[in-house]
C-alpha cells in the first residue's frame, strides 16, 4: 500500500477536524474490472487540547480511537451518530473515522448501488470479492497517524458497528501488536480459523497480545440475531439480499475467550447500569490482564447505543437510551 497525508477542512467549521488520504493499490474496480490505485479518505479529529509544541502541557502523546462504520455506512455518518469527537475533546484523545472500500471507487458511496464495506472475512461483500486487504489498510493508517501526530502506541483502540464491528474484531486479532483493546457493537467473528481457535492467517493464536474486548449487542437486534441466522429487518421475515447466516453471538464470545485464554469472573461490576443491561458476562486472563466483556442491552435493536441514529425503529428496532455506548466503551 502506498500512502500520503493530506490535510483539508471538511464540511464542518471545526479546525481540528481534517482529512487523511491513503492511496491503496489493491482495489478492483467493478466498473472496468481493473485493479488500480484509489484514494480512501478518513476523517481525523484532533482534540482541542492537543498541541504540537514540545513545551506545552498538552504535548504528551494521546490515545487513538479508530471508528469503523457499518456496511453501506460512511465516515461522515459515524461522526454524526457515535459522538466520539465530543468524547475526544472531553478526555483528550484522537479519533479517526476511515471509509471502507466500494465497488465503484471513482463514484461517491451509495447505500443501494455503491455501498462501502469492510473485508471482515465473511465473504459477504464486494470488498472481499475484490481482494481488498483492509487489515493492511488499517495498519498503514495507524503508521501514518503516528508519523504526523504524537500517538500513545500503548493506547490504540478500534471500535465499530455491525460490519465495522466484525472488522474491529479481525483487526484486534490480526493487529494485536498495535492494538490494545477493541469494542465491537453487533458484529460477528467470521474467519473460520479464528472461530475454531486455530491459526489465523500467518500467525499462531499464541502470538495474540492480551487485547481486551467489550462486545455490545441488542436483545432486539434482528440484524445481528443472538442465536445466529440470517439478518433481517424488524418488520420483515425475509433475509437480507446477498446476506450470509451469522454465527450465534455466543460462538463469537466463546472464540474470543478461547483465543485470549480467559476464564469467567462473573458480572457483578456491571450491575450499576441496572435495567439497561439484560445479560452480562466477564472473562479475564490473569496472566496478561486481558478481559472479554459481553453485554446484551435490554430493549435495543441495530443502532449505536446512545447515538444519533437516523435509522427508523420500524426497521431496525428500539433504541436503549439509558446506555451511552461511547461513554461506557471509553
Amino acid at each position: 500500500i502506498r500512502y500520503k497525508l493530506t490535510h483539508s477542512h471538511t464540511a464542518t467549521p471545526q479546525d481540528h477536524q481534517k482529512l487523511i488520504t491513503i492511496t491503496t493499490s489493491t482495489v478492483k474496480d467493478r466498473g472496468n474490472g481493473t485493479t488500480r490505485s484509489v484514494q480512501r479518505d478518513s476523517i481525523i479529529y484532533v482534540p482541542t487540547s492537543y498541541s504540537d509544541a514540545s513545551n506545552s502541557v498538552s504535548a504528551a502523546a494521546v490515545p487513538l480511537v479508530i471508528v469503523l462504520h457499518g456496511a453501506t455506512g460512511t465516515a461522515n455518518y459515524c461522526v454524526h451518530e457515535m459522538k466520539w469527537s465530543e468524547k475526544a475533546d472531553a478526555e483528550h484523545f484522537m479519533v479517526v473515522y476511515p471509509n471502507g472500500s466500494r465497488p465503484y471507487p471513482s463514484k461517491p458511496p451509495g447505500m443501494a448501488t455503491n455501498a462501502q464495506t469492510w473485508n471482515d472475512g465473511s465473504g459477504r461483500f464486494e470488498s472481499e470479492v475484490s481482494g481488498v486487504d483492509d487489515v493492511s489498510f488499517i495498519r498503514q493508517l495507524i503508521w501514518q497517524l503516528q508519523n504526523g501526530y504524537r500517538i500513545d502506541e500503548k493506547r490504540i483502540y478500534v471500535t465499530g458497528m455491525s460490519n465495522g464491528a466484525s472488522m474491529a474484531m479481525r483487526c484486534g486479532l490480526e493487529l494485536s501488536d498495535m492494538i490494545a483493546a477493541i469494542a465491537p457493537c453487533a458484529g460477528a467473528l467470521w474467519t473460520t480459523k479464528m472461530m475454531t481457535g486455530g491459526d489465523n492467517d500467518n500467525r499462531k493464536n499464541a502470538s495474540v497480545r492480551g487485547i481486551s474486548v467489550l462486545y455490545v449487542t441488542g436483545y432486539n437486534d434482528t440484524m445481528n440475531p443472538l442465536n445466529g441466522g440470517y439478518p433481517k429487518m424488524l418488520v420483515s421475515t425475509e433475509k437480507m439480499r446477498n446476506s450470509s447466516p451469522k454465527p450465534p453471538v455466543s460462538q463469537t464470545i466463546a472464540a474470543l475467550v478461547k483465543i485470549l485464554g480467559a476464564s469467567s469472573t462473573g458480572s457483578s461490576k456491571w450491575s450499576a447500569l441496572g435495567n439497561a443491561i439484560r445479560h452480562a458476562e466477564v472473562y479475564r486472563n490473569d496472566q496478561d490482564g486481558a478481559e472479554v466483556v459481553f453485554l446484551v442491552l435490554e430493549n435495543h435493536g441495530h443502532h449505536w447505543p446512545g447515538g444519533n441514529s437516523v435509522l427508523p425503529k420500524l426497521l431496525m428496532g428500539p433504541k436503549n437510551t439509558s446506555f451511552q455506548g461511547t461513554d461506557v466503551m471509553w
Side-chain angles (χ1 to χ4, degrees):
I1 295 180
R2 295 179 290 107
Y3 56 88
K4 64 181 180 178
L5 176 66
T6 60
H7 283 172
S8 60
H9 293 304
T10 67
T12 67
Q14 297 155 311
D15 288 341
H16 39 279
Q17 182 168 297
K18 306 174 186 295
L19 288 180
I20 180 173
T21 301
I22 291 183
T23 304
T24 70
S25 56
T26 58
V27 178
K28 184 177 181 180
D29 192 322
R30 189 199 289 178
N32 53 31
T34 61
T35 300
R36 63 186 182 86
S37 296
V38 296
Q39 291 186 339
R40 292 168 64 178
D41 290 334
S42 302
I43 298 173
I44 57 175
Y45 188 86
V46 183
T48 53
S49 56
Y50 181 90
S51 173
D52 288 316
S54 59
N55 61 348
S56 169
V57 294
S58 58
V62 296
L64 171 66
V65 176
I66 303 168
V67 182
L68 305 179
H69 61 73
T72 76
T74 66
N76 272 318
Y77 183 72
C78 284
V79 173
H80 166 77
E81 180 187 23
M82 299 182 182
K83 305 178 184 178
W84 277 106
S85 298
E86 294 88 336
K87 193 66 177 177
D89 274 338
E91 300 291 346
H92 187 57
F93 61 87
M94 186 177 295
V95 190
V96 60
Y97 308 86
N99 279 302
S101 62
R102 52 189 185 267
Y104 305 98
S106 59
K107 298 179 180 179
M111 181 176 292
T113 59
N114 203 24
Q116 293 192 146
T117 60
W118 301 102
N119 182 356
D120 59 11
S122 65
R124 299 176 294 168
F125 302 120
E126 183 73 22
S127 51
E128 186 158 353
V129 174
S130 300
V132 177
D133 189 347
D134 277 323
V135 174
S136 292
F137 171 75
I138 297 298
R139 183 183 291 277
Q140 295 286 352
L141 177 62
I142 293 171
W143 279 343
Q144 191 62 20
L145 288 170
Q146 288 175 325
N147 287 337
Y149 298 91
R150 295 184 312 282
I151 304 296
D152 184 346
E153 63 180 15
K154 295 182 179 180
R155 301 183 69 190
I156 298 176
Y157 311 114
V158 185
T159 186
M161 175 71 194
S162 197
N163 171 224
S166 300
M167 190 66 211
M169 285 185 276
R170 184 171 191 177
C171 287
L173 298 181
E174 296 188 35
L175 296 177
S176 63
D177 58 319
M178 306 182 83
I179 293 168
I182 58 174
C185 179
L189 188 60
W190 285 98
T191 305
T192 302
K193 290 180 180 178
M194 290 182 183
M195 291 298 296
T196 58
D199 296 349
N200 62 79
D201 293 324
N202 298 318
R203 300 184 304 111
K204 298 286 187 181
N205 284 324
S207 68
V208 175
R209 186 178 68 170
I211 65 166
S212 287
V213 181
L214 172 56
Y215 182 100
V216 179
T217 196
Y219 182 74
N220 310 88
D221 190 342
T222 57
M223 296 292 289
N224 186 52
L226 281 171
N227 294 324
Y230 284 97
K232 59 181 182 294
M233 298 291 187
L234 183 66
V235 295
S236 174
T237 58
E238 298 294 323
K239 65 183 182 182
M240 297 295 292
R241 183 170 59 90
N242 297 329
S243 65
S244 300
K246 284 190 170 185
V249 174
S250 60
Q251 189 176 344
T252 289
I253 301 303
L256 290 169
V257 169
K258 180 179 180 180
I259 291 169
L260 296 171
S263 56
S264 179
T265 65
S267 59
S268 58
K269 75 174 185 178
W270 294 96
S271 60
L273 293 175
N275 295 332
I277 296 177
R278 183 184 183 96
H279 178 76
E281 298 174 12
V282 181
Y283 304 84
R284 182 176 178 84
N285 183 322
D286 290 329
Q287 292 185 337
D288 58 23
E291 273 194 341
V292 178
V293 178
F294 171 39
L295 302 180
V296 179
L297 303 186
E298 188 71 83
N299 196 34
H300 191 72
H302 200 66
H303 309 275
W304 184 260
N308 299 315
S309 175
V310 298
L311 299 174
K313 296 180 182 179
L314 183 64
L315 297 179
M316 294 299 180
K319 301 176 185 179
N320 183 330
T321 58
S322 299
F323 187 94
Q324 297 297 313
T326 298
D327 291 340
V328 174
M329 290 174 184
W330 177 251

